[in-house]
DNA sequence: TCTGGGGTCCTAGGACCC
DNA sequence: TCTGGGGTCCTAGGACCC
């Protein structure tokens, strides 16, 4: 019995493409999208790639070249990207009953049962439809394992004649394809493994496919062994159409400038904690374990590096923000050392559990119903009138010292009435 | 002189992903 | 001056138990 055909649909240059949808004059121009805090390059249009801009390039080091080539630069606009992502995914859902949303710009589709339509033709139709309904260009790779579908997707992008669709279900085509892929470009092979594999003389995906799985396992553990199996057409990573429960929630940000003062850092931490609480409640969850971390700028040549983290188990699982703020603050005080130039802080909530049980009845005389109503009301106000409309005093009231930089954000075209795109009828 | 063995649970840290 | 943020999985090793 054949395993199901999997298609990996990947949006091309997703963030850059999102910017283009509502600003068509950007078509054909080099675009870069920056990370939070306008720190580094995280998305590039084809034109920018051709100019030699690299993923992860620090923005401040690229500025010269950006100016020189007239590249258009955007701060990241996650509200827009998230919304465009949902549009793409729901479009894809009309082509298959079973789909796994793998990331903001990628989905695996189960195409079993659609073979009679001709896989290449069907994929081409998916591609056309997504483009027409959302304005986002996608590439599609098909194979019998996720790892091979990833390879196929890569080839769909790299092979101009493929028209954005690459079928790797034909076993006789696989080896030729794998010979064209560097081992470091295989999904799951990162820097460490690339270094080791190369030293072993394994430089292409095909060589990795043919390597002795036991030998690979000795260095790359079961993950590496599975990878070799997947390259050999043995499916180990199955389609997960049901989103598994979240294991942790992290909120962290770099500060817009250095902070040295505990109170100021705590204001940032309180803001992050509020956000983490919102995420918890939105997912119907409570957390029983919390980690807080701080760090200075790891790239600085003038200031010494310092970073630390500390965790604690909470006396009871909670999603009540005042509880979270209290414990986060206690932990921050434990790791804060005066005298450093801090650049970032954050928290992680772990050991998440569903909030449907009344677990805290035994602990104290607190009125949980009232607490939950309070959080619900706060959440509703902050959704309706904007984030942090209602906030905790510990967050500070003036413009916070830690505010991130985002100088070049585009409009929230899809989620804000005041920022809708305008169309003009021409002659 | 000679000081067990096997199991579980938990956490930290590494590697990788987008 | 200026280098992101949020995840998952796996393994080793310590604590603990019998």
């Amino acid at each position: 019995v054949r395993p199901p055909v999997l298609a990996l649909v990947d949006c091309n240059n997703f963030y850059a493409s999102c910017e283009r949808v509502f600003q068509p004059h950007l078509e054909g121009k080099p675009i870069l999208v920056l990370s939070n805090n306008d720190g580094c390059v995280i998305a590039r249009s084809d034109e920018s790639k051709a100019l030699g801009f690299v993923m992860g390039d620090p923005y401040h080091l690229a500025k010269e070249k950006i100016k020189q080539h007239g590249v258009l630069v955007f701060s990241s606009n996650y509200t827009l990207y998230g919304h465009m992502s949902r549009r793409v995914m729901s479009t894809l859902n009309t082509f298959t009953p079973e789909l796994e949303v793998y990331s903001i710009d990628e989905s695996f589709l189960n195409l079993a049962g659609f073979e009679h339509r001709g896989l290449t033709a069907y994929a081409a139709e998916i591609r056309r439809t997504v483009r027409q309904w959302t304005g986002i260009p996608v590439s599609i790779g098909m194979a019998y394992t996720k790892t091979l579908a990833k390879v196929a997707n890569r080839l769909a992008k790299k092979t101009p004649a493929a028209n954005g669709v690459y079928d790797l279900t034909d076993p006789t085509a696989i080896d030729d394809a794998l010979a064209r892929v560097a081992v470091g470009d295989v999904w799951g092979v990162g820097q460490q493994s690339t270094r080791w594999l190369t030293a072993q003389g394994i430089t292409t995906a095909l060589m990795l496919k043919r390597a002795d799985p036991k030998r690979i396992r000795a260095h790359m553990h079961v993950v590496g062994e599975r990878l070799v199996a997947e390259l050999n057409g043995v499916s180990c990573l199955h389609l997960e159409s049901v989103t598994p429960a979240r294991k942790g929630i992290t909120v962290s940000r770099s500060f817009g400038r250095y902070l040295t003062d505990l109170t100021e850092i705590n204001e940032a931490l309180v803001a992050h904690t509020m956000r983490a609480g919102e995420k918890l409640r939105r997912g119907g969850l409570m957390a029983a374990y919390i980690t807080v971390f701080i760090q200075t700028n790891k790239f600085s040549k003038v200031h010494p590096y310092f970073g630390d983290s500390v965790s604690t188990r909470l006396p009871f699982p909670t999603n009540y923000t005042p509880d979270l703020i209290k414990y986060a603050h206690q932990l921050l005080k434990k790791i804060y050392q005066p005298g450093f130039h801090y650049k970032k802080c954050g928290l992680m909530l772990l050991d998440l559990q569903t909030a449907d049980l009344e677990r805290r009845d035994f602990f104290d005389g607190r009125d949980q119903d009232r607490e939950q109503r309070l959080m619900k009301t706060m959440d509703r106000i902050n959704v309706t009138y904007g984030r942090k409309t209602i906030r905790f005093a510990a967050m500070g009231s003036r413009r916070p010292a830690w505010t991130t930089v985002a100088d070049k954000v585009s409009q929230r075209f899809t989620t804000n009435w005041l920022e809708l795109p305008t169309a003009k009828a021409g002659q």
Side-chain angles (χ1 to χ4, degrees):
Chain A
V1 185
R2 269 268 147 103
V5 181
L6 301 178
L8 174 61
V9 182
D10 191 323
C11 301
N12 301 347
N13 315 329
F14 183 56
Y15 297 168
S17 298
C18 286
E19 296 295 345
R20 269 183 183 157
V21 170
F22 298 103
Q23 304 178 83
H25 63 275
L26 299 177
E27 208 64 47
K29 304 224 171 85
I31 301 176
L32 295 177
V33 178
L34 304 178
S35 65
N36 256 313
N37 223 20
D38 290 351
C40 48
V41 172
I42 54 166
R44 306 158 294 157
S45 68
D46 287 337
E47 297 78 6
S48 300
K49 287 178 186 171
L51 288 170
F53 289 97
V54 177
M55 188 80 161
D57 267 355
Y59 174 49
H60 71 276
L61 296 180
K63 270 182 180 165
E64 186 91 2
K65 188 165 160 187
I66 286 168
K67 205 170 158 190
Q68 184 190 334
H69 291 99
V71 178
L72 296 150
V73 178
F74 295 91
S75 303
S76 35
N77 183 345
Y78 288 107
T79 310
L80 176 67
Y81 311 151
H83 200 224
M84 293 307 291
S85 173
R86 283 199 293 281
R87 290 185 182 187
V88 170
M89 299 315 171
S90 53
T91 305
L92 294 177
N93 225 341
T94 65
F95 287 91
T96 174
E98 208 189 346
L99 152 160
E100 174 188 339
V101 176
Y102 175 68
S103 74
I104 193 165
D105 69 337
E106 286 172 77
S107 266
F108 286 102
L109 278 59
N110 181 350
L111 291 191
F114 296 98
E115 292 88 346
H116 67 283
R117 310 268 297 259
L119 286 176
T120 302
Y122 195 56
E125 190 189 331
I126 295 176
R127 205 167 161 264
R128 240 185 348 262
T129 309
V130 173
R131 183 68 194 245
Q132 189 183 351
W133 291 6
T134 70
I136 300 291
V138 300
S139 299
I140 305 180
M142 293 169 291
Y144 288 108
T145 71
K146 282 184 169 177
T147 306
L148 287 172
K150 274 274 187 184
V151 169
N153 190 281
R154 187 182 171 77
L155 294 170
K157 286 201 169 84
K158 299 261 166 191
T159 318
N163 281 320
V165 173
Y166 207 99
D167 180 356
L168 214 48
T169 55
D170 176 0
T172 64
I174 293 176
D175 285 7
D176 281 346
L178 293 184
R180 292 164 52 201
V181 176
V183 75
D185 290 330
V186 175
W187 189 43
V189 179
Q191 277 188 357
Q192 297 303 314
S193 306
T194 304
R195 197 171 308 145
W196 179 75
L197 288 166
T198 308
Q200 305 301 304
I202 298 171
T203 55
T204 68
L206 182 60
M207 292 166 95
L208 182 56
K209 172 188 170 179
R210 292 178 174 165
D212 174 13
K214 295 291 164 235
R215 185 172 150 224
I216 298 301
R217 178 169 183 149
H219 274 83
M220 295 173 63
H221 311 291
V222 286
V223 182
E225 192 179 23
R226 277 203 290 252
L227 214 147
V228 173
E230 284 252 322
L231 287 174
N232 279 282
V234 179
S235 175
C236 304
L237 309 167
H238 301 291
L239 197 79
E240 293 184 50
S241 48
V242 179
T243 316
R246 229 217 281 219
K247 302 242 161 68
I249 288 171
T250 305
V251 180
S252 72
R253 288 286 175 283
S254 295
F255 311 134
R257 62 171 174 84
Y258 290 125
L259 297 186
T260 53
D261 176 50
L262 177 61
T263 305
E264 286 188 336
I265 296 171
N266 190 58
E267 287 178 2
L269 188 61
V270 169
H272 302 343
T273 307
M274 283 180 61
R275 189 74 198 112
E278 286 165 8
K279 288 184 177 188
L280 267 184
R281 294 188 293 274
R282 183 143 186 215
L285 296 166
M286 301 191 293
Y289 196 85
I290 178 172
T291 300
V292 167
F293 58 90
I294 46 175
Q295 54 192 244
T296 62
N297 182 355
K298 58 180 183 257
F299 299 101
S300 175
K301 294 190 178 74
V302 285
H303 300 303
Y305 179 75
F306 171 73
D308 202 359
S309 75
V310 61
S311 309
T312 190
R313 182 154 293 282
L314 301 176
F316 43 80
T318 184
N319 61 18
Y320 186 53
T321 298
D323 283 340
L324 299 171
I325 288 175
K326 182 176 89 181
Y327 291 108
H329 181 58
Q330 285 175 6
L331 294 179
L332 176 63
K333 278 194 293 188
K334 278 191 189 171
I335 50 176
Y336 169 80
Q337 303 281 346
F340 289 103
H341 291 71
Y342 291 97
K343 188 62 184 169
K344 183 176 182 174
C345 77
L347 78 158
M348 281 184 243
L349 300 176
L350 296 159
D351 199 350
L352 306 184
Q353 12 202 307
T354 48
D356 48 6
L357 299 173
E358 304 253 336
R359 292 165 205 264
R360 284 199 351 224
D361 280 0
F362 320 104
F363 292 98
D364 49 37
R366 282 160 48 169
D367 185 343
Q368 288 178 69
D369 285 342
R370 185 172 164 276
E371 292 177 355
Q372 288 300 314
R373 282 201 306 277
L374 179 59
M375 290 300 99
K376 209 170 174 177
T377 306
M378 251 188 82
D379 289 342
R380 204 160 39 201
I381 289 172
N382 284 335
V383 163
T384 310
Y385 297 100
R387 251 172 221 174
K388 315 265 168 16
T389 299
I390 300 241
R391 63 177 78 184
F392 287 83
M395 211 185 113
S397 54
R398 63 188 182 284
R399 179 180 165 78
W402 51 272
T403 310
T404 55
V405 180
D407 286 341
K408 295 161 275 288
V409 203
S410 51
Q411 291 166 238
R412 289 166 293 177
F413 295 107
T414 59
T415 54
N416 191 307
W417 289 113
L418 302 176
E419 300 181 17
L420 291 181
T422 359
K424 294 189 182 104
Q427 296 287 334

